[in-house]
Amino acid sequence: MGIEWIPAHSPQAQGRSERLFGTLQDRLVKEMRRAGVHTGEQANRFLAAVFLPCWEQRFTVAPRQPHDAHRPLGGTQRLESILSVREPRRVAGDYTVRWQGQRGAIPRAQVQAGLRGARVEVERRLDGSRWVRFRGSYLSLRPCPSPPPAPATPFGLRPTGLAGPRKGKRKYMPPPDHPWRRTLLSGKKPDIATLR
């Protein structure tokens, strides 16, 4: 949009911003206290009826050139897209996108080649709508229900209650009369001549 941030590098510019903050954080609070403001609605009415008219009368300066200096929007600039919250996401195999704990589906008519598994940008616009940006084009996103839970067994043949706890493979323990046990427990090496 051609908007850039200009930091206050000079002491004069820093002084202006500090005076403004001091006025709004100190003088405004005292004026509201003197006027008996106790709620948010009273504060909004006080700002609109008392403080802002005095502020504008004191600090407003008439411009040298009265014509509008705003530049028109270009043909490629879309305000609804520029002023949106964007987050990168990956499209799942069923053409859905997860965002803020919800799933959204891309309509079948808008599915394009290379969309499955692709990195896209999800835009939440000011009107509350959600859009997916993929390779310069915008795809609508409609909410879809959560998938059903997976069955307990691969084919769902056994009810969940009958499937007991899964037992791991037991470790092999040699019997007490096994030759390894006799060798290890006695601490003696067997005579090779007797093992024939």
Side-chain angles (χ1 to χ4, degrees):
M1 291 180 60
I3 299 172
E4 65 176 298
W5 173 66
I6 303 173
H9 288 299
S10 67
Q12 293 83 1
Q14 291 176 4
R16 277 197 298 272
S17 62
E18 288 171 9
R19 278 196 301 276
L20 173 65
F21 294 152
T23 302
L24 295 179
Q25 294 173 4
D26 180 51
R27 190 73 230 151
L28 176 60
V29 176
K30 291 176 182 172
E31 290 290 334
M32 291 170 74
R33 190 181 309 125
R34 285 178 57 197
V37 174
H38 297 293
T39 64
E41 293 175 5
Q42 291 175 347
N44 288 334
R45 281 198 303 270
F46 176 79
L47 280 174
V50 178
F51 187 77
L52 288 179
C54 293
W55 179 270
E56 289 175 357
Q57 181 182 3
R58 182 175 175 190
F59 294 106
T60 301
V61 177
R64 268 187 233 142
Q65 299 173 353
H67 71 277
D68 190 1
H70 291 93
R71 288 179 288 185
L73 280 175
T76 60
Q77 293 174 323
R78 299 177 61 174
L79 277 181
E80 65 272 7
S81 175
I82 293 170
L83 303 175
S84 64
V85 178
R86 302 180 196 178
E87 287 193 30
R89 289 288 182 267
R90 188 173 293 280
V91 179
D94 56 353
Y95 299 106
T96 59
V97 179
R98 289 190 177 274
W99 198 55
Q100 293 184 342
Q102 298 176 351
R103 291 180 48 202
I106 299 169
R108 184 184 298 263
Q110 297 180 2
V111 171
Q112 301 176 10
L115 184 60
R116 184 183 301 169
R119 298 286 295 174
V120 295
E121 249 187 2
V122 177
E123 294 182 1
R124 183 174 52 88
R125 298 186 177 169
L126 294 175
D127 61 356
S129 63
R130 292 191 173 103
W131 293 82
V132 173
R133 185 176 182 176
F134 175 66
R135 294 182 184 163
S137 62
Y138 289 94
L139 313 172
S140 61
L141 197 62
R142 56 181 172 80
C144 64
S146 298
T153 58
F155 300 104
L157 299 176
R158 182 179 295 211
T160 310
L162 297 179
R166 192 168 181 175
K167 297 178 181 177
K169 193 173 180 182
R170 290 188 61 185
K171 188 176 177 183
Y172 174 72
M173 296 292 288
D177 59 341
H178 195 277
W180 292 350
R181 280 194 179 261
R182 283 182 279 163
T183 304
L184 293 174
L185 292 177
S186 65
K188 299 177 185 176
K189 284 190 173 182
D191 187 10
I192 298 176
T194 58
L195 289 179
R196 291 184 199 173

